[in-house]
Amino acid sequence: MAGRIGESSKDEVSFFKKLHDRQDEFQAGPLKQDTYFKAKDGKQAYQEIKSFNAYQAKKYIGYSVEFKVTDSLITSYYVSLPSHYNPKKSYPVLFFLHGAVSGNGLSSFQNASWVMDGWNRYYTKYAAVNEVIMVYPKGSKKFNWMKPDDGFFMVPAMLKEIKKSINVDDDKVFIAGHSNGATGSFSYLMKQQSPFAGFYGFNTQPKVRTGGTFVRNILNRSFFNVSTDEDYYFPPDANDSLNLIMKKMGADYQDHRYKGWPHWFPQFDESEPAYQLLFKDLKSRTRNPFQKSIYWECDDVKYGKTDWIQITALDTVNKPADWHKIINFDIFKVVDYDQSKDTVITTDTLFKAFNFPRKSGAVRATFSNNEFHIETSQVKSLTIFLSPEMIDVSKPVSVFINGVKRTEKMAVYDKKIILDNFNKTYDRKAVWIDQIELLISN
């Protein structure tokens, strides 16, 4: 018996050594910030970041990668590469966020079959057809993408790590999820959308659990929802109300309704057409971090940035602007499933769809011909990020705040700004060469 225990222990050590060797091979790569510190000036650093393409081939198509959550806690994410991954070619990436976060724990290792089979089988099938890199993070009750806020950093941080190792198309990174994972996808849309091109959710509760749900933030991106009429998590009437709001705003929002199916719709083969639609949408969608018009609202400046504008301080004492209004709606019915009788029960109720525990600040911003026009509401200060893809660097940049010209300056290729911002995301397409910081007068 003792001999068998010893052999088992040796097998375990050998297994984890192979696992770590495989992880080391995945993470090996030349994309390090030190490369750009050697650039002689900001313009050279910018050009080298934009043109970098010296990624290495990978030995495997699947990798379980450890991820440091805190100094004492580790979880993991599983990366599935296309079967013929070419390091010279950039690929779309789709994060899948699992549900049932309260019933999950962190895990330093994931097996391919745990995340790529079963309910996720159609992600595996259509990611292979469309050559999409799939990433499966492992969350827990405390560290996840919904609530509390402790784990919300994980997906962007994992993406940054991945971009050091494999050739990611920065303008084609997406998030999908089911149940709590779909709520997480919606929450990244509302709170931290900059790295992502589009957001998808199956059986979503479209609500930020850690603050206000500022639905106008969708105007910079999109959301693709798959709902069912027997879902207890978010009732069909509530989805109908949200659809109307999104339509009135002119939002890029889709709700694909499937009738006769419960919350666990992905379990059934009949869900396959929804995945076909999802990947069709993903294939056609590309991020534009330099879009000429932006709306952004937040109640926590930790999530004050989207693309080229960032709210750095709030001023919620003052009266909000007329255009800065809370959007909410009532939910009158909830749906429940009685498993013992295999029936759906609809109950009357009355509560608000969204909670707003804190006051928020908002900006509406546009740029054209080297001029930025920004309207603010309950914002104390903000930063504008500049790219040569937005402006003519040979001409001065002017900024108007609430109709008043506040500054005019020549943009430069500032090496420190370029490297500081690049080091936060390893985004090789949204590269900022200069920035303008402004204090908003009362």
Side-chain angles (χ1 to χ4, degrees):
M1 180 68 71
R4 291 180 182 176
I5 293 174
E7 289 171 9
S8 176
S9 178
K10 287 180 182 178
D11 289 343
E12 183 177 350
V13 170
S14 175
F15 171 80
F16 280 102
K17 183 180 184 306
K18 289 179 181 178
L19 181 68
H20 285 114
D21 287 346
R22 192 160 172 158
Q23 175 177 311
D24 290 344
E25 186 266 327
F26 174 77
Q27 293 181 327
L31 185 54
K32 309 293 182 184
Q33 200 200 29
D34 292 347
T35 304
Y36 309 109
F37 276 119
K38 297 174 184 176
K40 65 179 180 180
D41 55 29
K43 191 166 188 178
Q44 184 180 357
Y46 173 82
Q47 291 170 341
E48 289 184 358
I49 290 170
K50 295 285 286 185
S51 63
F52 181 87
N53 199 33
Y55 288 97
Q56 297 176 357
K58 298 301 172 187
K59 293 181 180 179
Y60 309 99
I61 60 170
Y63 294 87
S64 179
V65 182
E66 288 184 345
F67 177 81
K68 186 176 181 180
V69 179
T70 69
D71 288 342
S72 58
L73 290 175
I74 292 174
T75 191
S76 59
Y77 56 90
Y78 190 88
V79 180
S80 176
L81 300 177
S83 58
H84 300 291
Y85 171 74
N86 177 359
K88 297 300 180 185
K89 174 184 174 182
S90 63
Y91 291 84
V93 170
L94 177 59
F95 282 84
F96 172 79
L97 310 183
H98 67 73
V101 294
S102 63
N104 273 268
L106 301 180
S107 174
S108 62
F109 167 71
Q110 295 186 72
N111 190 291
S113 63
W114 301 350
V115 293
M116 296 177 64
D117 297 340
W119 287 28
N120 293 342
R121 62 197 181 280
Y122 294 126
Y123 285 113
T124 301
K125 178 177 178 178
Y126 290 103
V129 172
N130 293 280
E131 291 196 312
V132 174
I133 296 169
M134 290 297 305
V135 182
Y136 300 90
K138 186 68 170 67
S140 69
K141 183 176 182 179
K142 184 175 181 181
F143 298 99
N144 61 72
W145 26 84
M146 190 175 72
K147 69 171 185 178
D149 207 46
D150 303 55
F152 202 71
F153 77 97
M154 293 196 302
V155 172
M158 290 172 180
L159 175 60
K160 175 185 171 180
E161 284 190 0
I162 290 166
K163 287 182 177 183
K164 297 178 184 179
S165 304
I166 55 178
N167 199 341
V168 171
D169 185 339
D170 298 275
D171 287 336
K172 293 189 75 67
V173 180
F174 305 88
I175 300 183
H178 174 256
S179 189
N180 288 171
T183 297
S185 176
F186 188 83
S187 296
Y188 281 106
L189 169 65
M190 295 291 109
K191 292 171 58 177
Q192 198 172 358
Q193 62 184 224
S194 294
F196 308 106
F199 302 82
Y200 303 86
F202 276 70
N203 303 95
T204 313
Q205 186 179 88
K207 177 180 180 177
V208 173
R209 299 286 193 90
T210 54
T213 303
F214 307 115
V215 292
R216 288 189 190 90
N217 287 352
I218 193 180
L219 295 175
N220 314 311
R221 292 294 192 274
S222 64
F223 194 83
F224 179 109
N225 190 45
V226 177
S227 62
T228 59
D229 65 339
E230 298 182 7
D231 191 353
Y232 66 85
Y233 194 49
F234 202 64
D237 288 354
N239 273 310
D240 291 341
S241 296
L242 184 59
N243 292 343
L244 288 174
I245 288 171
M246 293 296 189
K247 186 175 181 179
K248 286 181 180 179
M249 287 195 305
D252 190 346
Y253 182 85
Q254 303 174 48
D255 180 38
H256 299 271
R257 185 73 51 82
Y258 291 82
K259 295 183 178 181
W261 300 102
H263 181 67
W264 45 97
F265 182 48
Q267 175 182 337
F268 302 97
D269 291 344
E270 286 81 356
S271 68
E272 183 172 8
Y275 291 90
Q276 294 172 328
L277 291 173
L278 185 157
F279 278 90
K280 182 180 179 181
D281 182 87
L282 182 152
K283 190 172 183 178
S284 67
R285 199 171 292 281
T286 301
R287 179 190 68 163
N288 177 14
F290 314 116
Q291 58 191 313
K292 291 182 178 293
S293 178
I294 280 181
Y295 178 93
W296 193 247
E297 185 172 356
C298 69
D299 57 11
D300 181 350
V301 295
K302 182 178 179 181
Y303 304 109
K305 186 176 188 299
T306 187
D307 295 332
W308 50 264
I309 199 160
Q310 181 174 10
I311 298 170
T312 52
L314 299 174
D315 183 10
T316 55
V317 175
N318 286 325
K319 182 181 176 181
D322 291 341
W323 51 265
H324 178 199
K325 298 182 185 300
I326 289 175
I327 295 178
N328 208 344
F329 62 92
D330 293 316
I331 294 177
F332 298 101
K333 294 181 183 295
V334 292
V335 176
D336 198 6
Y337 176 70
D338 187 332
Q339 190 171 8
S340 63
K341 298 179 180 179
D342 192 26
T343 59
V344 175
I345 303 169
T346 301
T347 307
D348 292 335
T349 186
L350 178 60
F351 61 92
K352 291 291 185 183
F354 309 131
N355 301 322
F356 295 92
R358 299 179 293 271
K359 292 183 178 180
S360 63
V363 294
R364 299 196 299 189
T366 62
F367 74 86
S368 180
N369 299 321
N370 277 41
E371 284 190 3
F372 288 80
H373 290 265
I374 300 170
E375 296 176 83
T376 67
S377 177
Q378 297 188 307
V379 171
K380 186 175 182 180
S381 62
L382 57 83
T383 299
I384 301 168
F385 297 86
L386 303 176
S387 163
E389 298 192 44
M390 301 163 63
I391 60 169
D392 183 343
V393 182
S394 69
K395 297 177 180 179
V397 173
S398 300
V399 180
F400 295 79
I401 304 289
N402 298 321
V404 178
K405 186 174 181 178
R406 292 293 307 278
T407 190
E408 182 175 287
K409 67 165 283 185
M410 295 295 297
V412 298
Y413 287 84
D414 187 309
K415 183 178 176 181
K416 185 178 186 306
I417 289 174
I418 292 168
L419 295 179
D420 285 351
N421 280 295
F422 177 70
N423 190 45
K424 293 174 184 176
T425 62
Y426 277 77
D427 192 320
R428 294 179 292 126
K429 290 189 176 177
V431 183
W432 312 113
I433 64 167
D434 203 352
Q435 61 193 49
I436 300 173
E437 299 174 2
L438 289 164
L439 183 67
I440 311 302
S441 61
N442 293 328

Coordinates of all heavy atoms in Angstrom, one line a residue, residues 96-129:
F96 N -15.4 32.7 -23.0 CA -16.7 32.2 -22.5 C -16.6 32.3 -21.0 O -15.8 31.7 -20.3 CB -16.9 30.8 -23.0 CG -18.1 30.2 -22.3 CD1 -19.4 30.5 -22.7 CD2 -18.0 29.4 -21.2 CE1 -20.5 30.0 -22.1 CE2 -19.1 28.9 -20.5 CZ -20.4 29.2 -21.0
L97 N -17.6 33.0 -20.4 CA -17.7 33.1 -18.9 C -18.8 32.1 -18.4 O -20.0 32.2 -18.8 CB -18.1 34.5 -18.6 CG -17.3 35.6 -19.2 CD1 -17.7 37.0 -18.7 CD2 -15.8 35.4 -18.9
H98 N -18.4 31.2 -17.5 CA -19.4 30.2 -17.0 C -20.3 30.8 -16.1 O -20.1 31.9 -15.5 CB -18.6 29.0 -16.4 CG -17.9 29.4 -15.2 ND1 -18.5 29.6 -14.0 CD2 -16.5 29.5 -14.9 CE1 -17.6 29.8 -13.0 NE2 -16.4 29.8 -13.6
G99 N -21.5 30.1 -15.9 CA -22.5 30.6 -14.9 C -22.3 29.9 -13.5 O -21.2 29.4 -13.2
A100 N -23.3 30.0 -12.7 CA -23.3 29.4 -11.4 C -22.1 29.7 -10.6 O -21.4 28.9 -10.0 CB -23.4 27.9 -11.5
V101 N -21.7 31.0 -10.6 CA -20.4 31.4 -9.9 C -20.5 31.2 -8.4 O -19.4 30.9 -7.8 CB -20.1 32.9 -10.2 CG1 -19.8 33.1 -11.7 CG2 -21.2 33.8 -9.7
S102 N -21.7 31.2 -7.8 CA -21.7 31.0 -6.3 C -21.4 29.6 -6.0 O -21.1 29.3 -4.8 CB -23.1 31.4 -5.8 OG -24.1 30.6 -6.4
G103 N -21.6 28.7 -6.9 CA -21.3 27.2 -6.7 C -20.0 26.8 -7.2 O -19.7 25.6 -7.1
N104 N -19.1 27.7 -7.6 CA -17.9 27.3 -8.2 C -16.7 27.7 -7.2 O -16.9 28.7 -6.4 CB -17.7 27.9 -9.5 CG -18.2 27.1 -10.6 OD1 -17.5 26.3 -11.2 ND2 -19.5 27.3 -10.9
G105 N -15.6 27.1 -7.4 CA -14.4 27.5 -6.7 C -13.2 27.7 -7.7 O -13.3 27.3 -8.8
L106 N -12.2 28.4 -7.3 CA -11.0 28.6 -8.1 C -10.3 27.3 -8.4 O -10.3 26.4 -7.5 CB -10.1 29.6 -7.5 CG -10.6 31.0 -7.2 CD1 -9.6 31.8 -6.5 CD2 -11.2 31.6 -8.4
S107 N -9.7 27.1 -9.5 CA -9.0 25.9 -9.9 C -7.7 26.3 -10.6 O -7.8 27.1 -11.6 CB -9.9 25.0 -10.7 OG -9.2 23.9 -11.2
S108 N -6.6 25.8 -10.2 CA -5.3 26.1 -10.9 C -5.1 25.3 -12.1 O -4.1 25.4 -12.8 CB -4.2 25.8 -9.9 OG -4.1 24.4 -9.5
F109 N -6.1 24.4 -12.5 CA -5.9 23.5 -13.7 C -7.3 23.3 -14.2 O -8.3 23.1 -13.5 CB -5.3 22.2 -13.3 CG -5.4 21.2 -14.4 CD1 -4.6 21.3 -15.5 CD2 -6.2 20.1 -14.2 CE1 -4.7 20.4 -16.6 CE2 -6.3 19.1 -15.2 CZ -5.6 19.3 -16.4
Q110 N -7.4 23.3 -15.6 CA -8.6 22.9 -16.3 C -8.3 21.9 -17.4 O -7.3 22.0 -18.1 CB -9.3 24.1 -16.9 CG -9.8 25.1 -15.9 CD -10.6 26.2 -16.5 OE1 -11.7 26.0 -17.0 NE2 -10.0 27.4 -16.6
N111 N -9.1 20.9 -17.5 CA -9.0 19.9 -18.5 C -9.9 20.3 -19.7 O -10.9 20.9 -19.5 CB -9.5 18.5 -18.0 CG -9.2 17.4 -18.9 OD1 -9.8 17.3 -20.0 ND2 -8.3 16.5 -18.6
A112 N -9.4 20.0 -20.9 CA -10.1 20.4 -22.1 C -11.6 20.0 -22.1 O -12.5 20.7 -22.4 CB -9.4 19.9 -23.4
S113 N -11.8 18.7 -21.7 CA -13.2 18.2 -21.7 C -14.1 18.9 -20.7 O -15.3 18.9 -20.9 CB -13.1 16.7 -21.4 OG -12.6 16.5 -20.1
W114 N -13.5 19.5 -19.7 CA -14.4 20.2 -18.7 C -15.0 21.4 -19.3 O -16.1 21.8 -18.9 CB -13.5 20.6 -17.5 CG -12.9 19.5 -16.8 CD1 -13.0 18.2 -16.9 CD2 -11.9 19.7 -15.7 NE1 -12.2 17.5 -16.0 CE2 -11.5 18.4 -15.3 CE3 -11.3 20.8 -15.1 CZ2 -10.6 18.2 -14.3 CZ3 -10.3 20.6 -14.1 CH2 -10.0 19.3 -13.7
V115 N -14.3 22.1 -20.2 CA -14.8 23.3 -20.8 C -15.2 23.3 -22.2 O -16.0 24.2 -22.7 CB -13.7 24.4 -20.6 CG1 -13.5 24.7 -19.1 CG2 -12.4 24.0 -21.3
M116 N -14.8 22.3 -23.0 CA -15.1 22.3 -24.4 C -16.2 21.4 -24.8 O -16.7 21.4 -26.0 CB -13.8 22.0 -25.2 CG -12.7 23.1 -25.0 SD -11.2 22.7 -25.8 CE -11.7 22.7 -27.5
D117 N -16.6 20.5 -23.9 CA -17.7 19.5 -24.3 C -19.0 19.9 -23.6 O -19.1 21.0 -23.0 CB -17.3 18.1 -23.8 CG -16.0 17.6 -24.5 OD1 -15.7 18.1 -25.6 OD2 -15.4 16.7 -24.0
G118 N -20.0 19.1 -23.6 CA -21.2 19.3 -22.9 C -21.9 20.6 -23.4 O -22.1 20.8 -24.6
W119 N -22.3 21.4 -22.5 CA -23.0 22.7 -22.8 C -22.2 23.6 -23.8 O -22.8 24.4 -24.5 CB -23.3 23.4 -21.6 CG -24.4 22.8 -20.7 CD1 -24.8 21.5 -20.7 CD2 -25.3 23.5 -19.9 NE1 -25.8 21.3 -19.8 CE2 -26.2 22.5 -19.3 CE3 -25.5 24.8 -19.5 CZ2 -27.2 22.9 -18.4 CZ3 -26.5 25.2 -18.6 CH2 -27.3 24.2 -18.0
N120 N -20.9 23.4 -23.8 CA -20.1 24.3 -24.6 C -19.7 23.7 -26.0 O -18.9 24.2 -26.7 CB -18.8 24.7 -23.9 CG -19.0 25.6 -22.7 OD1 -20.1 26.2 -22.6 ND2 -18.1 25.7 -21.8
R121 N -20.3 22.6 -26.3 CA -19.9 21.9 -27.5 C -20.0 22.7 -28.8 O -19.2 22.5 -29.7 CB -20.7 20.6 -27.6 CG -22.2 20.8 -27.8 CD -23.0 19.5 -27.5 NE -24.4 19.7 -27.7 CZ -25.3 20.2 -26.8 NH1 -24.7 20.7 -25.7 NH2 -26.6 20.3 -27.0
Y122 N -21.0 23.6 -28.8 CA -21.2 24.4 -30.0 C -20.2 25.5 -30.1 O -19.9 26.0 -31.2 CB -22.6 24.9 -30.1 CG -23.6 23.7 -30.3 CD1 -24.7 23.6 -29.5 CD2 -23.4 22.8 -31.3 CE1 -25.6 22.5 -29.6 CE2 -24.3 21.8 -31.5 CZ -25.4 21.6 -30.6 OH -26.3 20.6 -30.8
Y123 N -19.7 26.0 -29.0 CA -18.6 27.0 -29.1 C -17.4 26.3 -29.7 O -16.7 26.8 -30.6 CB -18.2 27.5 -27.7 CG -19.1 28.5 -27.1 CD1 -19.9 28.2 -26.0 CD2 -19.2 29.8 -27.7 CE1 -20.8 29.2 -25.5 CE2 -20.1 30.7 -27.2 CZ -20.9 30.4 -26.1 OH -21.8 31.3 -25.6
T124 N -17.1 25.0 -29.3 CA -16.0 24.3 -29.8 C -16.2 24.0 -31.3 O -15.2 24.2 -32.1 CB -15.9 22.9 -29.1 OG1 -15.7 23.2 -27.7 CG2 -14.7 22.1 -29.6
K125 N -17.4 23.6 -31.7 CA -17.6 23.3 -33.1 C -17.5 24.5 -34.0 O -16.7 24.5 -35.0 CB -19.1 22.8 -33.2 CG -19.5 22.5 -34.7 CD -20.9 21.9 -34.7 CE -21.3 21.6 -36.1 NZ -22.7 21.0 -36.2
Y126 N -18.1 25.6 -33.6 CA -18.1 26.8 -34.6 C -16.8 27.7 -34.4 O -16.5 28.4 -35.3 CB -19.4 27.6 -34.4 CG -20.5 26.8 -34.9 CD1 -21.4 26.2 -34.1 CD2 -20.7 26.7 -36.3 CE1 -22.5 25.4 -34.6 CE2 -21.8 25.9 -36.8 CZ -22.6 25.3 -35.9 OH -23.6 24.5 -36.4
A127 N -16.1 27.6 -33.3 CA -14.8 28.2 -33.1 C -13.9 27.6 -34.1 O -13.0 28.2 -34.7 CB -14.3 28.2 -31.7
A128 N -13.9 26.3 -34.2 CA -13.0 25.5 -35.1 C -13.3 25.9 -36.6 O -12.4 26.2 -37.4 CB -13.2 24.0 -34.9
V129 N -14.6 26.0 -36.9 CA -15.0 26.4 -38.3 C -14.5 27.8 -38.7 O -14.0 28.0 -39.8 CB -16.5 26.3 -38.5 CG1 -16.9 26.8 -39.9 CG2 -16.9 24.8 -38.4

